Amino acid sequence: MPRVLQQHNAAFRYDETLQPDGTMLPGWESLLAYINGLDTDQRARRERDIIRQMRANGLAYHNDNSITDSGRPWTLDLVPMLFDRSSWDTLTQGLTQRARLKQALYQDIYGEQRLLKEGTLPSPMLYSHHGYLRDLVSSESGEPNTNLLPMVTCDISRSPAGEWLVVNDICQYPAGLGYALENRLVLSRVLPRIFKQYRVRRIVTYFRHLQRFIQGNDTQPARCVLLSYPPSHPHYFEFAWLAKYLGYPLVETADLTVRDSRVYIKTITGLQAIDVIVRLLDDTEIDPLTIGNKSSQGVPGIVEAARRGGVRVLNPIGTGVLDNPALNSVLPQICQSLLGEPLLLQSPATYWLGDAVQKEQVFSRADELLFKHTGSHSQLLDPQLLSESEKTQLHEKINLTPHCYVAQERTDRSVAPGLQNTEFVQKQITIRTFLVSNGSSFESMPGGLCLPDNISDAGTPAAEGQPGSKDVWVLSNEPILEDTLLSAHLDAANYGQTDDDLPSRIAESVFWLGRNSERLESTLRLLRCILQLLVDDNRPLQASLSSPAMGCLLKSLTAATGTPPGFLGRGGKKRLTQPDRELISLLQDSSRIGSLSNSLQQWQLNASAISDRLSADQLRVFTRLSDLQSALGSLQLNPDLCSDAIALNQTLEILDELQLVTSASTGLEHENVTHSEDWLFTMLGRRIERAHQISVTVNTAMAVDQNNPRVLESLLRLFDSVMTYRSRYRSGLDNRLVLQLLLLDEINPRSLAYQFKCIHELIDALPGRRTAGNLDPISRLAVAGLSRVRLADPETLLNQDRDARQNLHKFLKVLQQLPASMADAVTGQYFTHTEKRQELGHFRVPPTGLLTAVDNDESGVSH
Amino acid sequence: MKLSVRHRTHYRYSVAASQSLNQICLIPRDTTTQRCLQAAVVVTPAPNSIDRRVDQYGNSLATFNLNSAHKECDIIVTSLVDTLDTPARLPASAPVDTNVSLLKDLHDQDALMARDCLLSSPSIPMDYSVDPIIAELPIGETPVLEYATMLMNHIYTTFTYESGFSTLVTPLTDIIAARKGVCQDFAHLAIAVLRRQNVPVRYVSGYLETLPPPGEKKLQGADASHAWYAVYSANNGWHDFDPTNNKQPDAQYITTAWGRDYADVVPIKGVVYGGGAHRLTVEVDVNRTEAPPILVENN
């Protein structure tokens, strides 16, 4: 694109693709030529590829609404941002210096405070920033602080003059790191040829340095966790990614507890000490005891533990103070003072309004500038976009606390080409760069997260939450060594988590994942059988509804989903003749516990809580489930569903696919997951739930009609045992044989006996139970279930007389209760063995003058 | 004068608390007019350790965890403090603008704190709520220490002490509207008024010796903790003022700690798991003595 054209715009912007002489940079030329050579279909296919891969990487368990709220760069541009080697190396020098400077500044602020004493750092600039944590300042000021700052992150953009400027410092944790990683993995797969040909430098080095830093000088592998916000947080996805890639467990504050200056993770076998916490949350969210945040988040005592050397927190707590944009107004002097070097990378000219002279000058041309509160994460305020009253408000706020505000010159950011719906577009860009400590200095990640933005003439900065991103490629002239973090795990210094115990919260989540997936499958089968019967039956609707088989299925549906009254309780008779509304509700009403839609939701919630532990294939399954859930939700179902063949078939189509996907998921559980403790808990959840489903369903069905062959056939179909029955007995449907197969046959994986056999084995394999003669509540229940089915006498249960029928009913009734008791016992022993997460009761004692004031007039003093 | 202090705080929980983490700021610090000769902290049930440290303002803090189930917690802090009388006459000080510009050139710990004490703080945001009081008593060209005395007198004469009127979260606008409050409210009020007019001012927590009516025996546990404010004069440092009693603190006053406001020097803060509802009782005794109190520390 010729530069002449650009200059017609209101503002001039640097074009990333051009050299100073106006010719296109070689890397860009061939990249754009390659994409130009693709026809629309080929481009569209690659764009779809990107979307498919990113979804498969695990967004499935956010519903569509939360994706738009998340601020996540939802799309990845097919066109990366390119750097040639020499310009990247120059930029890196500036970035590395900035990281060293931030580290030195951190050490000074929480150590000697030389800058404060010599006046280079104006004290109100520091004191008024909410990131300055006075609790972390040593009283014996003068003691040097030698803590390192492992991860420094900053956003840069290029001025019209071609100079890179730092527009944002992010020193608490490297937000966006997970996205940068994902972008790289996806784009290198979508453009493999170009990626190879360009010898793009690998970003894995960053993660390797980070692992080394975490390991430190310990000879033992450091026990490290990534501490993040809960899954509802918009950035949780990238944290889960990071955790999986680095090979450390992802935990939430509720997983940790502090005992006498050590930090522990609560696991199924008790408390386990940890050495390093990589925190992926703000200073204010870490420790409610010390930092005094009003929200009761955080792990009380962590600051004190870190202070006493009981745990290393990375980045150290208190680093939020380094993000203060006002620092930019004095950074050249600070750099001179701390490093003895001139500052290499500038920022857009920044004025601190705590300085009376600067404030006056800023107010004289306020509309030309942009404003920001020093403590806010949000974007800069543009007075040109504010109403008069909003401007007055801003003015007043600044006058009250001028120290908390900065003004900044507008800069027009550079532009780079991108692809949007197969068409080329120009976007203004900002690049998030990541630096990691190597002990003595810093290494920059060769790459980063590029945030493109629609071109705006006002010179305003990037808006938060733009749903786009680009990968950043640094081209190299040298051969690239193929490298992956996975090999790091084969090293002797293995930081793996193999011997880590399962956190209780995770164990509980996978247990419920198992239960809910089984519940989901059972609901699905029932609904499919019912709808299929309606489609297949050629008789008039009322005739088919009043058939015993249908009655059995509908009543079982109510019993198995636990949604009374439904077809069993009050009004059940009427609903049996007009089941449409109830069926629609059980299909689509996500707010009704037990409905198909609700079970799908629950399952996804459980899955998202453990997303860092799921395999890529499992994540793909969840993506598909999420799609199917939306499809189910958007079906238009009318109250004449049962007689509407088209609607029935449409619904069946979705249910069929759901069935297929859930079966795939079950298969993956067996084949792709190592049979470790989390697998045990998932399986236990499944078996317990299935035992419950079988006993409830058979009991309900037998109450309808014991001998009707259609009822028996439906039962076999529900438990996927038709083929087994045929191959085993080669006879017509016999009530006794059916019940034998479904209840007492230990070889049929769908039988009740089989479930109790498995439960018994699983419970035996759980941690802490291998001691002989140990019959605690869990084991007792397991033995009770198994012996009950083993000792059952088929004659007295399965015969056709009344006594046998009553015996069967009692037998099933007892077995129906067992699974719930087992679930309670497992919960009691493994999930809540440490204290259950409870409300933190904050108490603060006022001066007692408020509570027990003494009114002592005689002394002449009242206080 | 030697004063002994015994400060007992007792929590009783309705159900057992499984764990609690606590930080106490109740050990008197050293100042130019007092020396803390001895101090001990006794906690029941006994924690594994009671860790002491000094915060950035030089206050003494102690932290401890209780890691097993407990239904009550008893914290007793005893100390022996030697206090001096302050000179009756206030030294000369400068008007606001001169005071602030003199401060700009000072970089010692006192001056750094003074600069911190010009800004808004956790419990005292910078806003318009105290402007009515400033209208009643504007600072103008009055030297800062002189103004601090006038403000102390103004609060004492136009506000009524009423215990139980306010809570920890009662905003200053309510205190001003009702013209009522307790020592902490008066200290916070004065701090807000002074800071809004660019005078460095801090919050001081401590104790006050009370004397029984003539002929009566002093009641056990009837003393109380107390709070006041101190103003920084760039010429001669920090000076204390007690608006609750309209008096410059003397040898009857014991300073425990100082900070920008109450939130910096909360006597006891903690986090407890479980425990249900809790009942809190506090007893304070301040007595003249020559003999130190009996001190038996946990460890």
Side-chain angles (χ1 to χ4, degrees), chain A residues 528-750:
Chain A
R528 265 179 82 226
C529 278
I530 291 166
L531 299 193
Q532 195 65 54
L533 200 57
L534 284 168
V535 170
D536 293 346
D537 205 329
N538 296 324
R539 291 175 294 175
L541 181 62
Q542 278 316 316
S544 85
L545 283 176
S546 57
S547 73
M550 183 59 89
C552 152
L553 287 171
L554 290 175
K555 285 178 177 173
S556 298
L557 180 65
T558 299
T561 54
T563 51
F567 299 106
L568 282 171
R570 260 176 94 91
K573 279 219 175 80
K574 180 146 185 271
R575 280 190 206 99
L576 281 171
T577 58
Q578 293 174 339
D580 313 74
R581 280 177 198 281
E582 182 72 4
L583 285 174
I584 292 171
S585 160
L586 289 176
L587 280 165
Q588 287 184 317
D589 186 353
S590 59
S591 61
R592 186 167 178 195
I593 294 170
S595 76
L596 182 62
S597 187
N598 183 274
S599 299
L600 273 166
Q601 230 171 38
Q602 291 300 326
W603 193 16
Q604 288 176 57
L605 269 178
N606 295 136
S608 69
I610 53 158
S611 52
D612 63 316
R613 293 175 169 256
L614 297 175
S615 73
D617 287 346
Q618 282 174 310
L619 285 173
R620 258 196 295 284
V621 165
F622 286 116
T623 316
R624 190 70 197 119
L625 273 179
S626 172
D627 291 345
L628 289 170
Q629 187 185 11
S630 328
L632 178 68
S634 53
L635 273 180
Q636 286 293 330
L637 299 180
N638 298 320
D640 62 347
L641 174 67
C642 294
S643 45
D644 182 347
I646 295 171
L648 284 175
N649 276 315
Q650 277 178 341
T651 315
L652 270 170
E653 219 171 287
I654 294 175
L655 297 188
D656 283 349
E657 176 134 22
L658 270 173
Q659 176 95 59
L660 215 63
V661 176
T662 47
S663 306
S665 155
T666 315
L668 287 173
E669 268 168 27
H670 282 283
E671 298 300 327
N672 289 23
V673 181
T674 47
H675 290 195
S676 55
E677 279 155 356
D678 30 355
W679 183 84
L680 288 179
F681 280 104
T682 314
M683 282 300 124
L684 189 58
R686 265 190 180 280
R687 296 296 167 210
I688 286 180
E689 185 65 30
R690 192 177 288 180
H692 175 75
Q693 296 290 347
I694 297 171
S695 47
V696 166
T697 309
V698 173
N699 208 0
T700 311
M702 288 299 102
V704 173
D705 189 337
Q706 285 223 354
N707 299 315
N708 188 309
R710 299 298 300 269
V711 170
L712 295 173
E713 193 193 327
S714 302
L715 261 183
L716 284 176
R717 182 158 294 146
L718 273 181
F719 296 111
D720 208 12
S721 302
V722 179
M723 294 312 290
T724 320
Y725 185 89
R726 283 197 191 137
S727 64
R728 178 97 38 101
Y729 302 110
R730 302 191 183 282
S731 75
L733 289 171
D734 179 310
N735 160 294
R736 272 170 303 179
L737 296 178
V738 169
L739 289 177
Q740 172 80 33
L741 183 66
L742 292 183
L743 298 180
L744 308 180
D745 186 336
E746 274 184 39
I747 305 167
N748 176 15
R750 297 271 166 191

Side-chain angles (χ1 to χ4, degrees), chain A residues 113 116-119 123-124 127-128 132 134-135 137 139 141 257-261 289-290 300-301 304 307-308 396 400-401 403 835 838-854 856 858-859 861-863, chain B residues 11 18-19 21-22 48 51-57 63 65 67 107 109 112 115-116 119 126 128 161 163 168 182 184 196 203 208 210-211 213 222 224-226 244-245 260 262 266-274 278 282 284:
Chain A
Q113 300 204 322
L116 211 54
K117 286 168 194 161
E118 70 187 23
S123 56
Y127 292 153
S128 63
Y132 177 56
R134 289 164 178 78
D135 262 313
V137 178
S139 63
S141 177
T257 179
V258 175
R259 301 283 153 95
D260 292 325
S261 303
L289 182 61
T290 311
E304 191 64 21
R307 196 196 322 267
R308 298 193 177 274
E396 271 183 29
L400 265 180
T401 52
H403 315 101
E835 69 253 316
Q838 289 174 65
E839 285 299 299
L840 298 183
H842 264 263
F843 51 83
R844 292 182 160 210
V845 183
T848 48
L850 295 180
L851 293 174
T852 56
V854 185
N856 206 337
E858 300 300 316
S859 69
V861 172
S862 74
H863 46 95
Chain B
Y11 292 96
S18 61
Q19 194 196 6
L21 300 97
N22 306 272
N48 286 338
D51 298 316
R52 294 228 201 149
R53 69 182 176 94
V54 176
D55 77 2
Q56 54 143 3
Y57 298 124
T63 53
N65 304 349
N67 292 333
H107 300 292
Q109 285 298 339
L112 284 179
R115 284 194 236 159
D116 206 352
L119 306 167
M126 198 63 86
Y128 304 113
Y161 183 93
S163 77
L168 269 179
V182 297
Q184 185 186 351
R196 185 89 175 88
Y203 177 95
L208 173 58
T210 58
L211 300 170
S225 48
H226 193 39
T244 310
N245 300 298
R260 291 165 299 158
Y262 167 76
V266 179
I268 296 188
K269 58 179 175 178
V271 170
V272 62
Y273 289 86
H278 64 261
V282 180
V284 177

Side-chain angles (χ1 to χ4, degrees), chain A residues 3 11 62 69 73 86 348 431 482 545 583 686 773 815 862:
Chain A
R3 191 161 272 191
H62 287 295
D69 291 345
S86 70
I431 297 174
E482 288 304 328
L545 283 176
L583 285 174
R686 265 190 180 280
L815 289 181
S862 74

Side-chain angles (χ1 to χ4, degrees), chain A residues 293-490:
Chain A
N293 191 286
K294 282 180 191 74
S295 77
S296 56
Q297 295 298 311
V299 188
I302 239 177
V303 168
E304 191 64 21
R307 196 196 322 267
R308 298 193 177 274
V311 70
R312 280 197 293 148
V313 179
L314 311 178
N315 280 348
I317 303 164
T319 39
V321 72
L322 304 174
D323 300 347
N324 185 350
L327 289 169
N328 287 331
S329 66
V330 288
L331 210 58
Q333 295 91 301
I334 291 180
C335 187
Q336 236 0 296
S337 172
L338 289 178
L339 303 181
E341 299 167 13
L343 184 65
L344 296 175
L345 276 183
Q346 307 297 317
S347 295
T350 304
Y351 312 102
W352 177 51
L353 304 186
D355 181 299
V357 180
Q358 292 191 25
K359 189 173 94 173
E360 200 176 316
Q361 286 171 355
V362 161
F363 277 174
S364 70
R365 55 188 196 96
D367 279 3
E368 296 168 30
L369 300 165
L370 300 166
F371 290 82
K372 184 169 187 166
H373 189 279
T374 58
S376 86
H377 286 303
S378 62
Q379 66 186 102
L380 291 142
L381 288 169
D382 184 350
Q384 292 178 12
L385 303 176
L386 297 180
S387 70
E388 280 308 313
S389 69
E390 284 170 329
K391 268 195 232 179
T392 318
Q393 268 181 18
L394 178 64
H395 209 275
E396 271 183 29
K397 277 197 221 158
I398 292 175
N399 274 330
L400 265 180
T401 52
H403 315 101
C404 298
Y405 286 89
V406 291
Q408 218 181 59
E409 297 285 353
R410 294 164 191 267
T411 42
D412 246 309
R413 293 171 297 135
S414 60
V415 291
L419 212 59
Q420 190 172 311
N421 300 325
T422 73
E423 298 292 331
F424 272 109
V425 284
Q426 288 284 82
K427 296 266 186 178
Q428 282 189 293
I429 57 157
T430 302
I431 297 174
R432 181 158 297 178
T433 58
F434 302 94
L435 292 108
V436 59
S437 171
N438 61 13
S440 52
S441 180
F442 286 84
E443 303 278 338
S444 75
M445 173 194 285
L449 182 66
C450 180
L451 303 162
D453 196 3
N454 290 331
I455 292 178
S456 80
D457 281 328
T460 44
E464 288 282 315
Q466 286 286 323
S469 70
K470 283 159 104 62
D471 193 13
V472 178
W473 287 7
V474 178
L475 313 187
S476 150
N477 310 328
E478 303 137 16
I480 294 288
L481 284 174
E482 288 304 328
D483 194 4
T484 147
L485 267 201
L486 288 177
S487 64
H489 289 275
L490 304 175

Side-chain angles (χ1 to χ4, degrees), chain A residues 158-183:
Chain A
R158 183 132 56 169
S159 75
E163 185 191 10
W164 284 106
L165 301 172
V166 176
V167 295
N168 229 342
D169 291 291
I170 302 162
C171 293
Q172 300 197 59
Y173 58 92
L177 185 58
Y179 296 146
L181 177 63
E182 185 201 20
N183 282 355

Side-chain angles (χ1 to χ4, degrees), chain A residues 687 690-692 694-695 698 739-761 782-792 811-812 815 822:
Chain A
R687 296 296 167 210
R690 192 177 288 180
H692 175 75
I694 297 171
S695 47
V698 173
L739 289 177
Q740 172 80 33
L741 183 66
L742 292 183
L743 298 180
L744 308 180
D745 186 336
E746 274 184 39
I747 305 167
N748 176 15
R750 297 271 166 191
S751 80
L752 193 58
Y754 183 84
Q755 310 313 315
F756 281 116
K757 192 180 104 201
C758 289
I759 290 170
H760 187 256
E761 288 165 5
V783 172
L786 185 59
S787 25
R788 216 177 159 84
V789 285
R790 278 194 177 156
L791 297 176
F811 173 76
L812 288 171
L815 289 181
M822 286 175 181

Side-chain angles (χ1 to χ4, degrees), chain A residues 216-234:
Chain A
N217 296 326
D218 290 352
T219 44
Q220 293 291 316
R223 281 184 175 274
C224 171
V225 295
L226 266 57
L227 175 62
S228 94
Y229 291 101
S232 56
H233 190 272

